[in-house]
Amino acid sequence: MEILRGFQTDIPVKVAFLDIKAAYDNVIDILINRLTNLSIPSMCRFIYNLVSARQVCRYGEIQEIFRLFKGLPQGSILSLMLYAIYVAELEVNSQECKIIQYTDNVCIFSAMDSVEESLNRVESAVDKIFTSLNNLGLSLSAKKTKL
């Protein structure tokens, strides 16, 4: 809504579109700690097995079975919810910037009269998100990230 309002009132809107690199593949044990903190320990063992100790079969010319020790199964509805819990604490902590997340995509934006100030705030917010992602074992895809 704020982006639309900025366009309607000719206030410059600066936006950073971030893509988290191999997001689902890199979810690690931090997720189990978050679930434990949410007081749902009965699900933790199931989810631990789902995330950290599963076998995957790949069929083609050569049949392969290998073990995965991190990541969420892609295409699973449960994976969407678990990933949302995993990255729920990604915040900009700024009144001037807003964040919108959809799965492994993050949009940070600021609408202010000063283009330079707005850009500085978005860049600062991107730095904070970058640090938060590193703490989660995640990183940004440079090819898909745009400012």
Side-chain angles (χ1 to χ4, degrees), residues 93-134:
N93 294 327
S94 171
Q95 297 293 349
E96 295 81 17
C97 288
K98 303 293 182 202
I99 182 172
I100 300 171
Q101 295 182 71
Y102 180 73
T103 63
D104 62 346
N105 299 296
V106 179
C107 173
I108 301 169
F109 64 94
S110 175
M112 300 181 68
D113 289 327
S114 168
V115 173
E116 185 175 325
E117 183 64 24
S118 183
L119 184 59
N120 287 339
R121 290 181 179 180
V122 169
E123 288 175 348
S124 175
V126 169
D127 289 342
K128 290 176 184 177
I129 291 288
F130 182 80
T131 300
S132 295
L133 288 172
N134 282 337

Side-chain angles (χ1 to χ4, degrees), residues 42-100:
S42 61
M43 290 294 293
C44 286
R45 179 166 281 309
F46 169 76
I47 293 169
Y48 176 79
N49 290 332
L50 178 73
V51 173
S52 64
R54 67 183 190 277
Q55 290 184 349
V56 177
C57 300
R58 181 170 52 193
Y59 296 97
E61 289 182 25
I62 300 173
Q63 182 179 354
E64 293 180 73
I65 297 175
F66 54 98
R67 293 183 66 88
L68 296 177
F69 298 97
K70 67 177 184 174
L72 296 170
Q74 295 201 18
S76 166
I77 293 172
L78 181 59
S79 294
L80 290 171
M81 290 185 288
L82 293 174
Y83 184 77
I85 292 169
Y86 191 68
V87 296
E89 294 180 12
L90 284 184
E91 293 182 16
V92 175
N93 294 327
S94 171
Q95 297 293 349
E96 295 81 17
C97 288
K98 303 293 182 202
I99 182 172
I100 300 171

